[in-house]
Amino acid sequence: MASDPLVERMRAFGTTIFSEMSALAVRTGAVNLGQGFPDSDGPAEMIAAAGEALNSGANQYPPLPGIPALRAAITAHEQRFWGLTRDPDSQVVVTAGATEAIAASILALCEAGDEVVCFQPYYDSYAAAITLAGAVRRPVTLRPGADGRYHFDEAELRAAFGPRTRLLLLNSPHNPTGKVFTADELALIAELCHRHGVYAVTDEVYEHLVYTDAETPHIPLATLPGMADRTVRISSAGKSFSCTGWKVGWATGPAPLVSATLRVKQFLTFVNAAPFQPAVAVALGLPDSYFTEFRDVLQARRDRLVEGLRDAGFGVLPSAGTYYVTADITPLGGADGAEFCRAMPQRYGVVAVPTQVFYDDRDAGRHLIRFAFCKREHVIDEAVRRLRAPA
Ligand SMILES: *Cc1c(COP(=O)(O)O)cnc(C)c1O
C-alpha cells in the first residue's frame, strides 16, 4: 500500500501555515501576529442576538439557502454600501464562512482541466479548492513597485486568459498584501472577463477595511458594467464583525450562478450556524457609524504596528486595507521568510507568517512576511517592544 493514503492531487498541501504558526506561538509563548483573528469580541448587539437565538430554539437546521432574515440583511447591506440590487430569494446563499462559498462556487463552475486566473500571493484555500475541482490555476504575480505598492503586469494578466479559462478569482481588499484594486485595474479585469466569456468569483471579506489614506475606495467587481451578470460576490461576517469562529459567509450573484453554488454547497455542509444567522442579520443592519468606527480602530492599529516594524528595521510595504501588512526581511539580513518566521519566536518572541506559501512562484515572495494587526493595542505594543529588542 502507498504510504500516504491522501489522494495524489492534494499531497502538495500540508497543514495550513496559519495552524502551524498559531501552534508555534502557543508552544513558545510568542505574541501571535500570524493568524488573522481579532482578540476582542464584535458588536454587543450581535453577541446578544446570538445568545437570544440560542435560548429561543434556533438550534435546528436552518433553511438550505439561509434564514430569510439574514438573506434580506445581506441584500440590504449590499444595496446600502455598494448599490447592488439582488433578490434575497434567488440571488443569495448563506455558507459556512467565505471559505465554503469559495470552494462551492469553484467546484460548481469548473470542469476538470478548466483554468482559473487568480493573483499570487493568494489566500491558501483558493489553490486547494481549484485543485479539488481538478482545475488548473493560472496565477498572475503582484509585485511591489518603486512606490512600494503591489502591482501586476497588464501583459501577464492578458496572457493568463486563454481558451480554457473558466473563472477569474479576485480578492480585493487583498490578503496578504493589503492591496485594494483600483478602478483601472478592475476595468481591465472586467474587459478580459467579457472578452473571454469568463465568470468572476470575488472574495470581498475585507470590504469594510479600506483605510482613509488608500488611493481608491473598495469597488466590487460586480458593480462594473455587465459584471453583475457574471460575478459571484463572496463575503463573510468573520472579518467585518470580529467573529471568525462563527463561520457565517455568503455568496450573491445572478440566480443561475447562485443556484449552481447552492447545489454543491448542500452536499458540503448542507447548512450551518443556526443561532448565529439571526445575529449576523442584526450586525449587517448596524448603522454606518459601526463600520467607519471599526475601520478607524483598525487603521490606528495598523499605524501603530507599521511604525514599530519600521523602527525594528523591516522594509514595510504600505497596506491600504485588510488586517495585514507585509514586510521585507532583507534589511534585517533575512533571505527566506519561512526560515525567518520559524526563528522569530526565539529571536523576537513574536510570530508572523511567511507569504511565500501563498505563491506558486515562491521566489517572488521569498523575502516577504505578513503581520496581522487585528489585535488589541497593548498586544501590538508588546509585539513592537519585542521586535525592537531582538535576542
Ligand atoms: C479570512 C479569509 C477568508 C475566510 O473567511 P471565513 O468566513 O472565515 O471562511 C477568505 N478569504 C480571505 C481573503 C480571508 O482573509
Side-chain angles (χ1 to χ4, degrees):
M1 270 169 79
S3 54
D4 187 349
L6 181 64
V7 290
E8 212 221 304
R9 67 184 184 282
M10 291 304 291
R11 280 188 206 153
F13 298 89
T15 309
T16 81
I17 191 70
F18 308 113
S19 306
E20 186 191 336
M21 289 295 156
S22 285
L24 182 65
V26 169
R27 207 161 60 237
T28 58
V31 179
N32 188 359
L33 300 187
Q35 199 171 12
F37 60 88
D39 57 0
S40 44
D41 279 339
E45 302 91 318
M46 177 186 83
I47 304 283
E52 246 165 67
L54 262 173
N55 287 309
S56 59
N59 297 305
Q60 310 307 330
Y61 297 131
L64 173 61
I67 63 167
L70 178 53
R71 282 183 278 125
I74 290 166
T75 53
H77 169 273
E78 266 195 345
Q79 178 75 58
R80 168 161 56 132
F81 286 97
W82 314 122
L84 286 163
T85 307
R86 303 285 195 186
D87 169 25
D89 291 328
S90 62
Q91 300 187 318
V92 184
V93 54
V94 175
T95 55
T99 307
E100 188 192 33
I102 292 161
S105 55
I106 291 171
L107 288 166
L109 299 174
C110 292
E111 301 285 1
D114 281 352
E115 294 180 2
V116 179
V117 175
C118 56
F119 293 90
Q120 62 178 3
Y122 43 69
Y123 187 64
D124 64 346
S125 84
Y126 299 177
I130 292 165
T131 299
L132 282 170
V136 178
R137 55 186 185 274
R138 292 293 308 265
V140 173
T141 307
L142 298 173
R143 290 192 171 81
D147 58 0
R149 293 201 177 96
Y150 286 84
H151 302 274
F152 62 87
D153 179 51
E154 178 175 339
E156 194 185 334
L157 180 65
R158 286 186 184 279
F161 281 78
R164 289 307 307 262
T165 309
R166 178 69 167 169
L167 278 186
L168 174 282
L169 184 49
L170 177 70
N171 171 216
S172 181
H174 183 263
N175 171 9
T177 64
K179 175 182 174 66
V180 183
F181 283 69
T182 64
D184 287 348
E185 290 171 331
L186 295 170
L188 173 64
I189 291 167
E191 176 207 317
L192 290 167
C193 288
H194 287 303
R195 175 170 313 165
H196 294 272
V198 163
Y199 295 124
V201 172
T202 63
D203 174 348
E204 303 178 33
V205 300
Y206 298 102
E207 60 191 328
H208 289 295
L209 290 175
V210 173
Y211 301 116
T212 54
D213 51 5
E215 69 180 308
T216 173
H218 175 55
I219 306 169
L221 185 64
T223 62
L224 273 75
M227 289 305 290
D229 293 336
R230 57 171 77 238
T231 301
V232 179
R233 197 182 95 84
I234 293 169
S235 193
S236 147
K239 305 294 166 48
S240 293
F241 305 113
S242 307
C243 57
T244 60
W246 286 11
K247 298 298 283 190
V248 177
W250 51 87
T252 65
L257 293 183
V258 167
S259 164
T261 302
L262 183 82
R263 275 143 70 201
V264 169
K265 175 262 185 307
Q266 67 183 327
F267 298 119
L268 296 177
T269 57
F270 184 52
V271 292
N272 75 302
F276 301 128
Q277 290 196 18
V280 170
V282 168
L284 285 166
L286 287 170
D288 291 5
S289 57
Y290 164 77
F291 298 92
T292 48
E293 278 161 28
F294 179 59
R295 176 203 64 201
D296 291 347
V297 166
L298 269 287
Q299 180 162 345
R301 291 176 185 183
R302 177 199 65 171
D303 293 345
R304 232 173 165 92
L305 178 62
V306 163
E307 194 191 322
L309 290 173
R310 289 220 169 95
D311 285 350
F314 289 91
V316 182
L317 294 153
S319 165
T322 75
Y323 280 180
Y324 313 105
V325 60
T326 54
D328 184 346
I329 56 172
T330 46
L332 288 164
D336 184 284
E339 234 169 68
F340 193 90
C341 285
R342 286 201 180 89
M344 277 185 68
Q346 272 247 304
R347 181 172 174 182
Y348 296 108
V350 173
V351 160
V353 169
T355 66
Q356 63 184 255
V357 299
F358 309 130
Y359 294 77
D360 284 359
D361 170 16
R362 294 204 163 199
D363 284 337
R366 198 166 293 286
H367 59 298
L368 299 170
I369 66 176
R370 187 195 83 173
F371 291 89
F373 51 78
C374 50
K375 309 292 176 182
R376 284 166 296 173
E377 282 176 6
H378 74 88
V379 174
I380 293 176
D381 289 348
E382 176 59 20
V384 164
R385 195 186 61 73
R386 294 178 181 200
L387 288 164
R388 282 181 172 138

